[in-house]
Amino acid sequence: MRIARFTTGNDPRFALVDGEPGSEELVVVTGDPLYMPVQPTGERIRLDQDDVRLLAPVIPRSKIVGVGRNYAAHAAELGNEVPAAPLLFLKPNTSVIGPDDPIVLPDWTEHVDHEAELAVVIGKVTKDVAPERALDHVFGYTVANDVTARDVQRSDSQWTRGKGFDGSCPIGPWIVPGLDVDDLAVRARVNGETRQDGRTSQLIFDVAYLVSYISEVFTLLPGDVILTGTPAGVGPIVDRDVVECEVEEIGVLRNPVLRRS
């Protein structure tokens, strides 16, 4: 099952996505699947219809928790040691954009990188959950791009500015509940060229451990998002690039890149 959030010019709505790539239809449902049981309305809309726009499938009401250096090869490519415990940071919900929304490069950074990631969407209030029960608190999974102003991340003593600016957290194209994420491909392409190609089996700390560990620090609320880390191959994005982040069995998140003059 795939759950999308979309608009045809009016208020955002939710739908189940039916069909194969290139011929998908949106099966419109009532309400927000995160918070209430939903029912199909009977309306079906072709995804490629001109007035259909996919939105970020969730806007976290509380927080986005990022996990840094959670792939050994990525830590090494930036000259860092593998952390002994998950390295956490926060992104505000104002950093979220959806599929095909532009990543607007701030004028205060000269080096912005893409970071393709598996993202975890929390479905229940979660505090101090044990790893063996952690996945029961997950609503589903989506694709994220942890866009990072690398020069600013390095120059500042903390990561808030380099990781949390507006548009630095593309999410989409939809949420997939009930997915086995132990060994899925995580890829990034820029202008069609593959930059990142890793697997979730290479995560240092797996999803269940991350949910448990983070829930000891923060109470996780429905709709909160965890970014699980990025594989090796991160690289710069510049004006007019097109970035595609993909997680196997979920889909492709595509965003153009713009720098306003």
Side-chain angles (χ1 to χ4, degrees), residues 31-99:
D32 184 337
L34 257 172
Y35 300 101
M36 65 187 73
V38 298
Q39 294 291 332
T41 65
E43 184 180 5
R44 298 177 72 98
I45 302 172
R46 285 190 58 88
L47 183 58
D48 60 4
Q49 189 172 301
D50 287 345
D51 60 349
V52 171
R53 177 185 164 212
L54 285 181
L55 305 172
V58 61
I59 301 293
R61 296 186 179 182
S62 171
K63 55 194 168 291
I64 302 149
V65 185
V67 180
R69 304 170 190 166
N70 200 25
Y71 287 78
H74 170 60
E77 74 179 345
L78 297 182
N80 298 308
E81 297 293 327
V82 172
L87 177 60
L88 306 182
F89 59 92
L90 295 175
K91 294 169 86 92
N93 61 10
T94 49
S95 67
V96 172
I97 57 175

Side-chain angles (χ1 to χ4, degrees), residues 8 11 14 35 38 40 43 59 62 148 165 196 230 250 252:
T8 53
D11 291 339
F14 289 88
Y35 300 101
V38 298
E43 184 180 5
I59 301 293
S62 171
T148 301
F165 59 89
Q196 294 179 271
T230 197
I250 299 178
V252 177

